[in-house]
Amino acid sequence: IEQVHRLLKKEGFRLESSALESGYSIRKLTIICMAAALKILQMMIASTSIKEQSIELIFNSEEVACLERIEEKKFAKSIAQPNTYTPKTIKWAYQIIGKLGGWKADNKQRKAGPISLQRGLIKFYEIYEGWILNKTNT
């Protein structure tokens, strides 16, 4: 509950500072932010789980393809912090999203927290939007 509150409030999505006026718009924004918070919490829980969980619980096949490309182009050459998780699992996505959010993924730093994952998820969806636009133009 505290992590959800943190994600929705000042440090995360800043719902309380939205300039929306109608109740319908505020509810719609809250639902969108709750969906993102659910993805973030699923990644956090999966990162500490022993069992590998399928990525399809969080991301669709196009999003997974985009994550693969991001890892290939941006993080595959990172010898210091390679992604050691099984590809196409939630733990694998957790590491990519965390790195996009500024997490260093080294042993000296603790696990990626909800705010790093939130920043990474926002950055991922910005990249993903470009990915989709590029695919529709070709």
Side-chain angles (χ1 to χ4, degrees):
I1 291 172
E2 291 163 2
Q3 296 291 11
V4 172
H5 180 77
R6 185 173 175 212
L7 280 167
L8 296 178
K9 297 292 253 172
K10 192 174 185 177
E11 288 185 68
F13 293 108
R14 298 185 203 111
L15 277 178
E16 75 279 2
S17 64
S18 69
L20 300 175
E21 293 181 8
S22 77
Y24 176 76
S25 298
I26 294 169
R27 284 192 302 265
K28 197 170 182 179
L29 177 62
T30 302
I31 290 170
I32 291 168
C33 291
M34 289 293 291
L38 179 62
K39 284 185 180 189
I40 291 164
L41 294 174
Q42 282 179 289
M43 285 188 282
M44 288 181 65
I45 291 167
S47 74
T48 59
S49 174
I50 295 170
K51 184 182 175 192
E52 295 281 354
Q53 297 175 354
S54 175
I55 199 165
E56 282 82 25
L57 295 171
I58 300 179
F59 297 104
N60 66 38
S61 60
E62 281 294 315
E63 292 168 333
V64 173
C66 184
L67 282 167
E68 288 178 312
R69 189 70 171 158
I70 290 168
E71 182 185 41
E72 177 187 314
K73 288 293 187 184
K74 194 168 174 97
F75 303 124
K77 296 174 186 159
S78 176
I79 297 167
Q81 300 96 15
N83 194 338
T84 57
Y85 297 118
T86 306
K88 297 184 181 179
T89 61
I90 295 177
K91 285 183 180 184
W92 171 80
Y94 162 86
Q95 189 158 357
I96 295 168
I97 298 293
K99 284 180 175 182
L100 285 173
W103 178 56
K104 301 293 185 227
D106 61 15
N107 294 335
K108 298 173 190 163
Q109 200 178 28
R110 56 187 157 151
K111 292 259 184 202
I115 302 304
S116 295
L117 291 172
Q118 182 248 358
R119 289 180 188 137
L121 198 61
I122 289 171
K123 192 168 184 180
F124 167 70
Y125 279 113
E126 289 170 352
I127 294 168
Y128 181 68
E129 184 177 358
W131 167 271
I132 293 299
L133 288 172
N134 184 51
K135 288 186 95 175
T136 57
N137 286 335
T138 56

